[in-house]
Amino acid sequence: MYLLVLRRIVYFLMPIVGVFFIGALPYLFFSNVQGIEAVARLLESGAIKNALFLNQDLGLFFSNYLDNIGSLMLRLITFSNVEYYEYQQIKLLFPTILTPFYYSVKLVIGAFLLAITTSLVLALIVKILPDKIQKAVRFVFFSLESLPDIFIVVMIQYSMILYFRNTGTLLFPIAHSDQNPTYFIPILCLAIIPTLFLTRTLLFLLDDEDSKTYVEFARAKGLRYAIILYVHMLRNSLFSLFYYSKTVYWLLISTLFMVETVMAIPGITDFMLDNGPTTPEVITVSILLMFVPFYLLFTVVSYILSHKLGRTEEEVA
Amino acid sequence: MTVWKSPLFLSGFLIIVSLFFGSIIYSHFVPNDKQPVMQIRYDENKNAIDGAPIAPFKDMPFGTDRFGVSILHKVIDGAKYTLGVAFFIAFARLFFGTLLGLIISQLPKFILNTLSKLFESFYYAPATIIAYLLLYPVLQIFTWSLPRDIQTIFAVILLVIIAVPPIMVTVASETSKFLENEFISSVKVLGGSRLHTLRKHVMPHLRPHLSILYSQQLIATLLLGAHLGILQVFIGGTDFITLDPLENNTVPVAMINEWSSMIGANYFQIRGDRWIVFAPLAGFAITILALNFMVEAMKRQYLAKSSYTRRTRKVRKVKTPVQVKTLSQEQFDRIMKTGTDN
């Protein structure tokens, strides 16, 4: 029993340890990370224009790598603050990083909720369309989903500019400024690809649900198809939809950084990209911040669901 | 090989092939020193009316960039670099990933479990940020202390390594799931060695999955390249061109016409001369769309038992009700008496 609990805990902690391994990668490949940090800081402050003098070897430096992982873990476990460099001064990471973190979390959660609601509505509408139109609509959804996120983000931003140029009214701010923080356009950009993905997944799940006997039974009893769809099939497929939430999270995160770069939003990925080269530890801490809460949520919910529905994780994965 | 009959697959495949080989053939006939350049546009009376960048559909299809080079030329010329690098990187990722995955599948099971949990973090850490963290110093900070070819080789190796762990875990878990089949124990009883099992049974099973994985990795590589381009990290190498010597106004310029670097180097121009960004972006969109068509067609073909096939709804609709026989009084009586129709 204790062994089982121990193994569960170890498995649970493994991905978190993995983040440390990723975050410390510069120490694995570069012989002189302190040199890079110093030069990056000088470049940032404008003291030098190039790095002609930096002598650097590429290779694999395992002892450096492991040392760094160990020291960073120790620092985080003992809750000592990590220092980083910005605007020619050393700052403490912890209160500072929370502002961009909250901004990003707001964007991600907003986009997630928007995607869920939109895809529910879209899937239910598509499902009751006639077969021929349905096929065409499904194809359009698939094609749109295949477009690269960068294309969609640029197109949305550009269409806002175009609208502004033609009418003179700015619908929503397309770039961030401190007086006028932008929420709607980034959330829209973030939500589009997850919405299409969720709609398609939900449609698959509903199709699967279609072949089950309870649907036939309900129809035989004389219930209208729409009612079965809205009440029973939807409820049953929503549980399965949860298992795709990891992919949705991944889609959101990989687009988040695009949106933040293009729209100059001071979010967490922007923070990582700004301060990552001067302080590699920032990357580890930021990924942990973004990752641990969601990971906890996924693990707990999937545990509860599998307990309730009586199926194991391997079955769905 | 029935996937070749699917129109979805064929159209995607044709687009990719014609882009890649078209680009190679094109740059054989129009090398970079013969590229179409138009710095200033004149009307009939030799009066200058327009300067570079020239807007699309005025003498130059797709317009020109700031130095007067035709965008159409740059996009066609760049296709072979973008696609070629992606083909190579995706292949290397798959090659090492499969090799390691097959090895891991032969080791005790807890190793696979531990590794798959450990590498789950790759799901949560965006690949772009890891790649940026490692490539930015090499391609931007100590650009002078390393020769150019080593920089490019390092970039390529890094882009390969970044994706190997997830592929490795996928292949290993797929293999070990397949090895649980009952006939595998018969293979062992009949004296098949591990290598034999892998070669004769696992590989044929794995091959369709690998071809899907390859196309997906192609897409991932292209996207990663585009993202890095936006962050001003160019895989083909970076040059700096000084526009205005007095104000120290330098811009990074890619050394080759690679699409992602074309987007990244010109992104700030999107409000004015947008065609410079839109043309390579459209190239990306078309390529990734074509690749996704291929993936979808292969999924439908190879993973036919998953939810990707939608037969269910049709079956329900086509099902006709059982024909009701109208019986005459005489027939009815006979059935009631004898229990049969005739």
Side-chain angles (χ1 to χ4, degrees), chain B residues 185-229:
Chain B
S185 46
S186 331
V187 173
K188 276 182 197 156
V189 169
L190 290 174
S193 68
R194 282 187 172 184
L195 219 59
H196 172 87
T197 321
L198 284 184
R199 220 180 55 217
K200 290 284 177 188
H201 297 282
V202 175
M203 274 322 278
H205 165 78
L206 223 51
R207 209 161 284 142
H209 292 268
L210 287 182
S211 54
I212 291 173
L213 215 55
Y214 180 70
S215 311
Q216 282 171 339
Q217 284 305 315
L218 266 180
I219 296 170
T221 315
L222 284 171
L223 274 179
L224 185 56
H227 286 172
L228 286 175

Side-chain angles (χ1 to χ4, degrees), chain A residues 11 15 30 49 51 54 56 127 134 142-143 146 149 157-158 165 207 211 249-250 253 257 262 273 291, chain B residues 113 117 121 123-124 126 128 132 134 141-142 145 227 248 267 270-271 274 288-289 292-293 312-313:
Chain A
Y11 276 169
F30 306 138
K49 286 277 172 277
L54 182 66
Q56 183 76 34
K127 194 70 184 153
Q134 205 180 107
F142 162 66
S143 307
S146 307
D149 50 1
Q157 202 187 22
Y158 183 67
R165 238 188 234 160
D207 285 348
S211 60
Y249 176 79
W250 182 77
I253 290 293
F257 122 86
V262 167
L273 295 176
F291 160 77
Chain B
N113 283 341
K117 278 287 170 195
S121 47
Y123 251 100
Y124 298 92
T128 318
Y132 177 77
L134 293 168
I141 292 186
F142 50 93
S145 81
H227 286 172
N248 206 352
Y267 192 75
I270 189 159
R271 286 179 194 142
R274 57 204 170 275
I288 290 176
L289 199 62
N292 261 319
F293 279 177
T312 43
R313 178 109 195 262

Side-chain angles (χ1 to χ4, degrees), chain B residues 3-285:
Chain B
V3 76
W4 292 97
K5 282 182 187 158
S6 146
L8 210 57
F9 183 86
L10 267 185
S11 54
F13 184 75
L14 280 180
I15 290 173
I16 300 290
V17 165
S18 53
L19 262 178
F20 185 61
F21 289 103
S23 164
I24 292 178
I25 294 167
Y26 173 82
S27 41
H28 179 72
F29 289 110
V30 191
N32 263 338
D33 45 3
K34 274 198 241 163
Q35 63 192 4
V37 176
M38 178 182 272
Q39 297 274 9
I40 300 166
R41 204 156 68 89
Y42 300 96
D43 62 0
E44 309 84 72
N45 306 325
K46 300 274 174 204
N47 294 323
I49 52 171
D50 201 358
I54 294 167
F57 308 119
K58 293 175 181 164
D59 296 350
M60 287 280 192
F62 292 8
T64 71
D65 68 356
R66 276 167 301 167
F67 309 107
V69 182
S70 165
I71 293 285
L72 183 65
H73 166 82
K74 290 183 85 166
V75 170
I76 296 180
D77 184 56
K80 62 173 182 296
Y81 301 115
T82 312
L83 284 173
V85 168
F87 285 147
F88 177 74
I89 289 179
F91 177 77
R93 282 175 173 186
L94 215 61
F95 181 78
F96 292 112
T98 314
L99 209 64
L100 289 173
L102 288 180
I103 292 171
I104 288 173
S105 69
Q106 300 300 312
L107 299 178
K109 192 107 191 214
F110 77 91
I111 294 184
L112 173 61
N113 283 341
T114 315
L115 282 180
S116 70
K117 278 287 170 195
L118 193 63
F119 290 136
E120 202 177 297
S121 47
F122 271 85
Y123 251 100
Y124 298 92
T128 318
I129 290 189
I130 308 167
Y132 177 77
L133 179 71
L134 293 168
L135 287 180
Y136 176 80
V138 177
L139 299 181
Q140 297 270 326
I141 292 186
F142 50 93
T143 32
W144 282 273
S145 81
L146 289 174
R148 188 125 264 169
D149 44 343
I150 289 192
Q151 285 176 32
T152 311
I153 290 170
F154 179 76
V156 169
I157 288 178
L158 198 90
L159 291 183
V160 170
I161 291 178
I162 257 180
V164 165
I167 296 177
M168 185 175 83
V169 169
T170 314
V171 171
S173 52
E174 182 69 40
T175 309
S176 63
K177 210 193 289 170
F178 180 74
L179 285 178
E180 278 166 15
N181 273 329
E182 277 175 17
F183 69 88
I184 294 293
S185 46
S186 331
V187 173
K188 276 182 197 156
V189 169
L190 290 174
S193 68
R194 282 187 172 184
L195 219 59
H196 172 87
T197 321
L198 284 184
R199 220 180 55 217
K200 290 284 177 188
H201 297 282
V202 175
M203 274 322 278
H205 165 78
L206 223 51
R207 209 161 284 142
H209 292 268
L210 287 182
S211 54
I212 291 173
L213 215 55
Y214 180 70
S215 311
Q216 282 171 339
Q217 284 305 315
L218 266 180
I219 296 170
T221 315
L222 284 171
L223 274 179
L224 185 56
H227 286 172
L228 286 175
I230 287 273
L231 294 174
Q232 314 268 315
V233 174
F234 307 146
I235 296 164
T238 316
D239 261 352
F240 291 90
I241 291 184
T242 307
L243 289 180
D244 194 350
L246 292 178
E247 289 178 13
N248 206 352
N249 184 4
T250 51
V251 287
V253 176
M255 298 185 67
I256 49 177
N257 293 326
E258 205 254 325
W259 289 346
S260 51
S261 44
M262 276 172 77
I263 297 175
N266 296 304
Y267 192 75
F268 63 94
Q269 304 199 19
I270 189 159
R271 286 179 194 142
D273 315 320
R274 57 204 170 275
W275 58 88
I276 304 178
V277 183
F278 279 7
L281 205 56
F284 265 118

Side-chain angles (χ1 to χ4, degrees), chain A residues 118-146 195-201 203-204 207, chain B residues 293 296 300 310 313:
Chain A
T118 325
S119 61
L120 275 181
V121 173
L122 278 178
L124 290 180
I125 290 174
V126 170
K127 194 70 184 153
I128 52 173
L129 284 177
D131 248 8
K132 264 198 184 139
I133 305 174
Q134 205 180 107
K135 217 172 177 183
V137 171
R138 279 171 192 244
F139 186 74
V140 170
F141 275 5
F142 162 66
S143 307
L144 282 180
E145 195 197 329
S146 307
T195 304
L196 294 169
F197 171 78
L198 279 175
T199 311
R200 221 153 73 94
T201 318
L203 281 174
F204 288 143
D207 285 348
Chain B
F293 279 177
E296 180 69 13
R300 278 187 198 165
R310 46 179 298 266
R313 178 109 195 262

